[in-house]
Amino acid sequence: MEPWMIVLVVIVLAVIGGLWFVVRGRGGSQAPPEVSAHKPTAADDILPAPPAEQEEAGTHDVASPTATLERPESIPGRMQRLRSRLAGSGGFGRAVLSVLSRGDLSEADWEEIEDTLLTSDLGIEVTTALMDELRTQARVLSTCDPQAIRDVLRAQLLTLVDPTMDRSLSLERPAPAEGWDETKGAPAAAVLMVGVNGTGKTTTCGKLARVLLAQDRTVVMGAADTFRAAAAEQLTTWGRRVGVEVVRGQKEGADPASVAYDAAGEAARTGVDVVLVDTAGRLQNKAGLMDELGKIKRVMDKIAPVGEVLLVLDATTGQNGMRQAQVFSEAVGITGIVLTKMDGTAKGGIVVTVQKELGVPVKLVGLGEGADDLAPFDPEGFVDALLS
Ligand SMILES: Nc1nc2c(ncn2[C@@H]2O[C@H](COP(=O)(O)OP(=O)(O)O)[C@@H](O)[C@H]2O)c(=O)[nH]1
Ligand SMILES: [Mg+2]
């Protein structure tokens, strides 16, 4: 064979090979990731419907592991699991119910009810009011019909948990801030995760990203906990696990606000729907905390207003956690609460206490360490679980 023929054959093979790669590559990135295959159901309405038009985003290189991800559990399935976990951990409602159904209650019985309520983290004030109400109702009803008593207690608890609060996450794509250069993209809805160290912020970012992906939203996460290198690494691991790009600082100790700004900027540039920003929970002093969180929020607001600031609280820390929560809520305006580790406590009363003290609703609950262990908070399901 002449040398020019060999060259020709090589060129032809290279062109065919190149074409094959292009076609296959396109096909690969256009195939919807499995996590998007979730069929919305009625209960998914707890989070607002995803935007009508779907962007071309979510196909970043970093997100490619989605192809191997298993499908997230459906929202109703999660709530069912929440119910059975709460019921399994011996909710205080059931204990109170069993005393109430004895009928003709002695003073010792009433004391037993009071003790149960107090140890459930409801707090003195709420317990006293609830005791008064139960005594009154018990007199009015003058019955030991367990169903009637159950209905009274259920109604009381439901009122305390307050089903009228708006628990949906604000995930509408916001209007850009004044001065935002629109050639840099359309700002994403921003969620800031704050709270004390160890409460579950990073884990919640990962789990929430997965819930959002299951609703066909696209997500970028920002690792603004730059205090420890391990923190950014942990979020990056979650990013890989759920199939979401993570923006992180160049080095340990980078400015958290600039990482948050970069993450929101990257979200706008790539046209994703939501940017989730994880922060550090150092509670060294209130001034320092206010400074850092305030700055993060301010720089993100320069792109578009932050729609959700979620305070992550460990449900097992009870009243102690409440004091810390107060500091955070003073440092930065909180729009919702995530109660984590609900799988590890029977003290459901914390829901009532935290909402009352901070004046914002519990929006999400953590039920374990797994990727699907996060559920929207559903007052009725919660109360029923306490009583089952
Ligand atoms: N049992 C249980 N553990 C959780 C839950 N959420 C987080 N954790 C665990 O709590 C620990 C601290 O979580 P992390 O996200 O690192 O907290 P952060 O310091 O606030 O970011 C980790 O071991 C998590 O796996 C939950 O809902 N239930
Ligand atoms: Mg963390």
Side-chain angles (χ1 to χ4, degrees):
M1 209 189 288
E2 297 285 323
W4 66 267
M5 287 176 79
I6 295 176
V7 169
L8 189 69
V9 167
V10 167
I11 290 173
V12 167
L13 282 178
V15 167
I16 291 173
L19 275 176
W20 187 73
F21 260 107
V22 167
V23 168
R24 195 170 167 271
R26 285 253 175 88
S29 68
Q30 273 175 355
E34 251 183 77
V35 283
S36 303
H38 172 78
K39 295 271 178 303
T41 58
D44 291 355
D45 293 347
I46 290 173
L47 296 177
E53 92 286 10
Q54 280 302 309
E55 317 275 339
E56 263 280 297
T59 50
H60 311 293
D61 287 348
V62 196
S64 57
T66 42
T68 57
L69 286 176
E70 79 279 23
R71 176 184 167 148
E73 187 183 6
S74 74
I75 302 296
R78 287 166 198 239
M79 293 200 285
Q80 187 50 46
R81 214 149 40 85
L82 161 67
R83 252 167 253 166
S84 59
R85 283 212 187 157
L86 283 172
S89 63
F92 68 89
R94 193 163 33 143
V96 171
L97 194 58
S98 85
V99 181
L100 278 175
S101 357
R102 285 174 201 160
D104 235 354
L105 300 188
S106 68
E107 207 40 47
D109 291 329
W110 283 111
E111 264 170 40
E112 191 180 338
I113 293 179
E114 184 162 23
D115 288 346
T116 307
L117 293 176
L118 281 175
T119 50
S120 74
D121 283 339
L122 275 177
I124 299 218
E125 212 180 303
V126 171
T127 298
T128 311
L130 186 54
M131 286 295 291
D132 284 350
E133 196 52 42
L134 286 175
R135 277 179 192 265
T136 309
Q137 293 289 339
R139 263 199 305 276
V140 172
L141 276 171
S142 69
T143 169
C144 55
D145 171 12
Q147 189 55 46
I149 288 167
R150 188 183 188 282
D151 290 348
V152 167
L153 183 59
R154 184 181 188 278
Q156 296 292 331
L157 290 176
L158 203 54
T159 308
L160 284 173
V161 175
D162 194 355
T164 65
M165 282 181 151
D166 179 8
R167 293 169 203 276
S168 60
L169 294 181
S170 161
L171 297 174
E172 296 298 314
R173 195 182 280 282
E178 225 183 323
W180 170 248
D181 173 1
E182 308 227 358
T183 62
K184 290 183 177 170
V191 179
L192 198 56
M193 211 64 81
V194 305
V196 178
N197 225 349
T199 51
K201 292 179 297 297
T202 307
T203 309
T204 303
C205 277
K207 292 174 180 175
L208 181 56
R210 199 161 138 91
V211 170
L212 298 175
L213 291 175
Q215 298 183 322
D216 290 338
R217 293 172 199 272
T218 46
V219 179
V220 159
M221 298 197 286
D225 178 355
T226 58
F227 192 54
R228 297 169 302 129
E233 206 45 57
Q234 189 191 354
L235 193 70
T236 306
T237 303
W238 268 103
R240 244 180 258 126
R241 187 169 172 190
V242 302
V244 157
E245 182 184 355
V246 174
V247 174
R248 53 190 287 184
Q250 297 294 326
K251 55 183 196 312
E252 191 173 329
D255 177 22
S258 81
V259 175
Y261 185 82
D262 287 349
E266 173 71 0
R269 190 186 69 77
T270 53
V272 303
D273 302 318
V274 184
V275 55
L276 297 177
V277 174
D278 187 24
T279 65
R282 276 175 308 148
L283 207 58
Q284 73 288 51
N285 62 64
K286 200 166 132 190
L289 183 82
M290 281 196 178
D291 219 42
E292 185 166 303
L293 290 180
K295 192 169 158 207
I296 290 176
K297 186 158 177 301
R298 272 198 310 281
V299 298
M300 290 178 74
D301 282 342
K302 283 188 182 160
I303 297 179
V306 173
E308 283 287 348
V309 181
L310 296 176
L311 174 66
V312 181
L313 277 183
D314 177 342
T316 65
T317 57
Q319 297 295 331
N320 204 11
M322 281 307 311
R323 269 190 298 282
Q324 302 166 337
Q326 207 76 51
V327 175
F328 274 87
S329 106
E330 282 162 27
V332 63
I334 307 292
T335 60
I337 298 153
V338 182
L339 265 184
T340 58
K341 313 189 192 182
M342 288 292 274
D343 51 310
T345 176
K347 301 183 170 188
I350 190 75
V351 171
V352 174
T353 312
V354 73
Q355 288 187 159
K356 192 161 167 286
E357 303 227 340
L358 302 181
V360 287
V362 172
K363 293 190 170 177
L364 300 165
V365 285
L367 311 168
E369 302 188 78
D372 283 338
D373 290 336
L374 183 76
F377 180 72
D378 158 32
E380 309 229 347
F382 175 70
V383 169
D384 285 336
L386 288 178
L387 293 172
S388 63

